[in-house]
Amino acid sequence: MDVGGDVGPGAGVSALGVGLARRKRRRWVRWGAGGVGGLLILVVGVGWGVYLKLDGNITADEAAEAELRRYEKDRPTSLVSGAQNILLIGSDSRSGDGNRKYGRDSGTERSDTTILLHLAAKRDSATAISLPRDLMVDVPSCRRPDGTRTGPRFAMFNSAFQTGGSACTIRTVEKLTDIRVDHHVVVDFHGFTKMVDAVDGVQICLKEPVNDKAAKLRLPAGRVTLNGEQALGYVRARKSLGDGSDTERMGRQQRFLGALVNKVQSNDVLLNPVKLYPLLDAATSSLTTDPGLASLRGLYQLVRGVRNIPTEHVRFLTVPRESYLYNADRDQLMEPEAEKLFERLRRDEPVEVAQGGGSSAEIRLGKGSREPGGADSPAPTFSGNTAAEHTCE
C-alpha cells in the first residue's frame, strides 16, 4: 500500500514538520500582537486614569466666576494681547483636609499672602509682586458667603478675602492697580506643604539658628533643606526671623519662591514624568482656580508658556508702599512709584529688580520700550530679587 503517494505538501504535516512550524509561528504572532495590544490598552488606560485623577483634583471657583461676570463692565481691559496676570492667593483657612492642625477654625479666612504674577506676552519674563496684607485700600461692594452684600469701604487689603473670597480680592486688586486679572489660584497651608515635599524640599541659607515655638520651627544656621512643614513655618514666621515686620516676611517669601522655582527648573521636574506626577498631584489636589485653569489642559498651557523663562528673568518684588498716615502699623501705596510699576505692567514693559535697591533707586533702559518721541523708556529698578539669586551667596 502506497500510504504517502497521494499526500501533497499542503495537505497535512510533512515529514519535516513544516506545516506544524508554520501554525506555531502564526499562533505566536497572534499571541504577540494580542499581548502588545493589551499592553497598549493597559498603558493608555493607566494614563487616562492618571489624567482623570489629576484633572478631577482641581476645584473650579464657579462662585467667583459668576460674581466677576456681574461686574464685567467695571473691570479693566487688557492692553497687550498675550500678556497674562494671575493672582496667587495663600489662604489662612483652618478648615479642610490637613489644615486644622494650624489653629482653630473660626469660620473665616483671610489672604495670608497675595501675589500678582505678570507673564510677559513673549513669555520671556515673569514679575511677581507681593501685596501687603496690611495695605489700606478701597474695597468695593462684595457678596458675602451668605448672599448678602457689603458696602464699599476703606479697609485692610486682606479683609477683602475674608468678606467676599477670591472675587472680592480680585476686584480690590483691579481697583487698586487698574490691571486686569486674567486668572486666579488659591492654595491653603496643607497644599503649600505638599508641593514643597513633592520636590523633595527646598534649600535656603540661615545666618543664625532659628528656634520659634509659635512657628514650630527649629533650624541650624547655614544651608538647610526645608521640608513642607518647615517651609510653611519659615515663610510665615515673624518674631524669630528678621525685624519681625511684614516687610521682612514678604522678602523672605519672595526669596523662598525664587529658590523653589530654581529647584524645579534645575531638576528638570517639568520635563520628567516621574518627578512631575507627585508635584502635579500635590498641586492639583490643593488648588482652587478660575474655571479657565481648573483642568490639566489649562494648567499645562500655562506651564508650557513659562517653563523656559530664564530664572534671572523671574523677578520678585513688593509693591512700593510706606506707613499709613494715620496708623504706623498699616501701609499705604507710595506714589508715584506704585503707579509707575502698575503702568509698566499694564503695558507689558520691563521692570528691573535689585537687592536693596529701594523703591526706585536706580534707572535702567528697558529693551523694546519706547516713549512717544521714539526714545528708549527707562525701566525703573525696584527692591527685590530674581529666581537666579541664591540665598546662600
Side-chain angles (χ1 to χ4, degrees), residues 48-61:
W48 182 245
V50 168
Y51 178 88
L52 289 178
K53 178 183 184 300
L54 295 177
D55 198 58
N57 281 348
I58 310 169
T59 302
D61 199 346

Side-chain angles (χ1 to χ4, degrees), residues 55-73:
D55 198 58
N57 281 348
I58 310 169
T59 302
D61 199 346
E62 301 286 357
E65 183 76 3
E67 180 72 355
L68 292 173
R69 282 198 301 267
R70 177 188 176 97
Y71 293 96
E72 179 60 38
K73 62 179 179 15

Side-chain angles (χ1 to χ4, degrees), residues 198-200 266-270 272-280:
V199 296
D200 296 325
S266 64
N267 284 16
D268 293 327
V269 172
L270 299 179
N272 187 332
V274 175
K275 295 180 180 180
L276 181 59
Y277 175 77
L279 179 60
L280 284 177

Side-chain angles (χ1 to χ4, degrees), residues 33-331:
V36 171
L39 181 60
L40 287 174
I41 292 173
L42 178 61
V43 169
V44 171
V46 170
W48 182 245
V50 168
Y51 178 88
L52 289 178
K53 178 183 184 300
L54 295 177
D55 198 58
N57 281 348
I58 310 169
T59 302
D61 199 346
E62 301 286 357
E65 183 76 3
E67 180 72 355
L68 292 173
R69 282 198 301 267
R70 177 188 176 97
Y71 293 96
E72 179 60 38
K73 62 179 179 15
D74 299 325
R75 301 182 65 194
T77 57
S78 300
L79 300 181
V80 179
S81 177
Q84 285 196 327
N85 299 294
I86 303 166
L87 196 64
L88 309 176
I89 303 172
S91 166
D92 70 355
S93 172
R94 267 66 170 183
S95 64
D97 180 31
N99 289 311
R100 291 185 178 86
K101 62 183 176 181
Y102 301 114
R104 184 176 60 86
D105 180 16
S106 63
T108 63
E109 55 182 327
R110 294 197 178 200
S111 49
D112 196 62
T113 301
T114 305
I115 295 175
L116 181 62
L117 175 64
H118 175 79
L119 303 179
K122 294 181 180 179
R123 296 299 188 270
D124 55 0
S125 70
T127 305
I129 303 166
S130 294
L131 299 172
R133 58 184 186 176
D134 295 338
L135 189 69
M136 299 302 295
V137 298
D138 289 312
V139 179
S141 172
C142 294
R143 183 182 185 277
R144 295 189 183 99
D146 63 4
T148 62
R149 291 190 175 273
T150 64
R153 66 197 188 284
F154 189 66
M156 289 199 324
F157 172 69
N158 70 341
S159 68
F161 192 74
Q162 180 186 25
T163 300
S166 51
C168 190
T169 302
I170 290 168
R171 293 181 56 229
T172 300
V173 170
E174 291 183 339
K175 185 176 181 65
L176 181 72
T177 65
D178 199 29
I179 294 173
R180 173 82 176 206
V181 175
D182 302 294
H183 298 289
H184 70 276
V185 176
V186 181
V187 60
D188 58 26
F189 290 159
H190 186 55
F192 176 82
T193 63
K194 286 179 62 179
M195 283 187 280
V196 173
D197 286 335
V199 296
D200 296 325
V202 175
Q203 187 182 87
I204 53 111
C205 191
L206 296 171
K207 295 181 180 179
E208 299 176 352
V210 176
N211 187 3
D212 189 325
K213 293 182 179 179
K216 299 180 180 179
L217 195 63
R218 188 166 186 171
L219 301 170
R223 293 178 183 267
V224 181
T225 297
L226 303 180
N227 62 28
E229 290 292 337
Q230 292 170 327
L232 180 64
Y234 176 75
V235 299
R236 299 191 70 238
R238 301 183 74 166
K239 298 178 181 179
S240 59
L241 291 170
D243 57 10
S245 68
D246 203 40
T247 298
E248 198 282 334
R249 190 177 79 138
M250 284 186 293
R252 196 182 333 122
Q253 291 171 351
Q254 293 164 6
R255 292 190 295 274
F256 180 84
L257 290 175
L260 176 60
V261 170
N262 209 318
K263 175 71 176 287
V264 170
Q265 289 203 0
S266 64
N267 284 16
D268 293 327
V269 172
L270 299 179
L271 300 178
N272 187 332
V274 175
K275 295 180 180 180
L276 181 59
Y277 175 77
L279 179 60
L280 284 177
D281 188 38
T284 56
S285 62
S286 310
L287 299 182
T288 298
T289 77
D290 60 279
L293 284 185
S295 67
L296 275 186
R297 178 179 176 83
L299 288 177
Y300 172 75
Q301 289 176 338
L302 176 65
V303 171
R304 184 180 61 179
V306 303
R307 70 185 182 191
N308 293 324
I309 296 178
T311 52
E312 61 269 21
H313 292 167
V314 180
R315 305 178 178 98
F316 299 89
L317 65 150
T318 300
V319 64
R321 83 270 185 240
E322 58 192 359
S323 293
Y324 178 48
L325 182 62
Y326 302 106
N327 186 341
D329 293 330
R330 304 288 180 262
D331 290 327

